Amino acid sequence: MKVNLSTPKILAGLGSLFIVLSVIPSIGLLLGLVGLILLLVATHQYSKALSDGEIFKKFLVGSILSLVGFVIALIFGVFGAIGGFIAGSGRGEALGIGIGIGFIISFLVAYAFIVYSFYLYKQSFSRIASKIGHGLIGTAGTTLFIGSILLIILVGGLVLLLGWILATVAFFTAPSEIEIIEAKSPETP
C-alpha cells in the first residue's frame, strides 16, 4: 500500500525553517511559534499516515515541556534581574542573594525541561526516520538533542541552529511517498 507523505513533509520542512528563522529580531518569536505549530501538525500527520501514535505523542509532550522550560526561564530571569537591581541598590543584600540562588535553581530546572523535551523530539524524529527510511531526519533529531545538552556551555545554541537547518533539509528531501507492506494474518487451516 502506497502512503502519500507530501503534506507532512512540506509542513515539517517549513516548520523547521521557521524555527531557523526565529533568530531574526522582532519577528523571531512569532516565527518560532508558527514553526512549532507546523511541526506539531506535521508529526500528527506522519503519525496517522505511518500508524505510529508515538511519533505525535512524543513531539507533543516535548513541545509542552519545551514551552514550560522557556516560561520558567523567562519568569525567573525577570525575578533574577529584579533581585540584582535590589541588591545593587545597597538595600536587601540577602534578598538579592536569595533571588540569585532561586535564579540558579530555576535555570537548572528549565535546562532539565529543555533537554528532556529535545530528547523526546529526537525520539519522534528517529521513529519517522526509521519508518520512511530517511536517516537524515534521525540525524537531525540527534543533533538537536546534543545541542540542547550543550546549551549549558553556550555552544549549544549553534548546535541547535545547525540541528534545525539539518531538519529543514531532511524533511524537504524526505520521500513524498512510501510503500508500506501490510502484515498478512496467518491463514487458519
Side-chain angles (χ1 to χ4, degrees):
M1 173 175 83
K2 289 194 181 246
V3 176
N4 186 345
L5 300 173
S6 58
T7 302
K9 162 190 164 163
I10 291 170
L11 291 175
L14 287 173
S16 299
L17 179 61
F18 284 173
I19 290 175
V20 168
L21 296 176
S22 70
V23 299
I24 298 173
S26 301
I27 61 168
L29 187 61
L30 178 64
L31 288 174
L33 188 58
V34 169
L36 183 63
I37 291 168
L38 287 174
L39 278 164
L40 281 166
V41 172
T43 54
H44 183 262
Q45 290 183 356
Y46 270 121
S47 191
K48 284 190 173 243
L50 301 172
S51 301
D52 184 352
E54 290 296 307
I55 292 171
F56 177 66
K57 181 181 170 189
K58 288 184 183 302
F59 198 86
L60 176 64
V61 172
S63 298
I64 291 168
L65 291 177
S66 186
L67 290 173
V68 167
F70 177 75
V71 169
I72 289 172
L74 185 65
I75 289 172
F76 285 100
V78 169
F79 284 132
I82 291 171
F85 178 74
I86 291 171
S89 68
R91 300 173 299 201
E93 225 174 271
L95 176 65
I97 292 171
I99 291 178
I101 291 171
F103 174 75
I104 291 169
I105 291 170
S106 66
F107 171 78
L108 293 175
V109 169
Y111 177 73
F113 271 81
I114 290 168
V115 168
Y116 188 64
S117 71
F118 277 93
Y119 173 71
L120 293 173
Y121 290 167
K122 174 189 168 301
Q123 287 185 325
S124 177
F125 283 10
S126 293
R127 290 179 87 86
I128 293 170
S130 69
K131 294 270 187 177
I132 68 172
H134 191 59
L136 192 56
I137 295 172
T139 303
T142 301
T143 305
L144 289 168
F145 178 58
I146 291 168
S148 72
I149 293 169
L150 294 176
L151 276 174
I152 200 93
I153 58 171
L154 302 180
V155 73
L158 292 174
V159 177
L160 281 174
L161 183 63
L162 175 66
W164 285 117
I165 291 170
L166 197 58
T168 302
V169 172
F171 282 114
F172 280 136
T173 60
S176 297
E177 190 174 76
I178 63 166
E179 183 77 30
I180 294 182
I181 301 168
E182 294 184 34
K184 292 183 181 181
S185 59
E187 294 183 30
T188 54

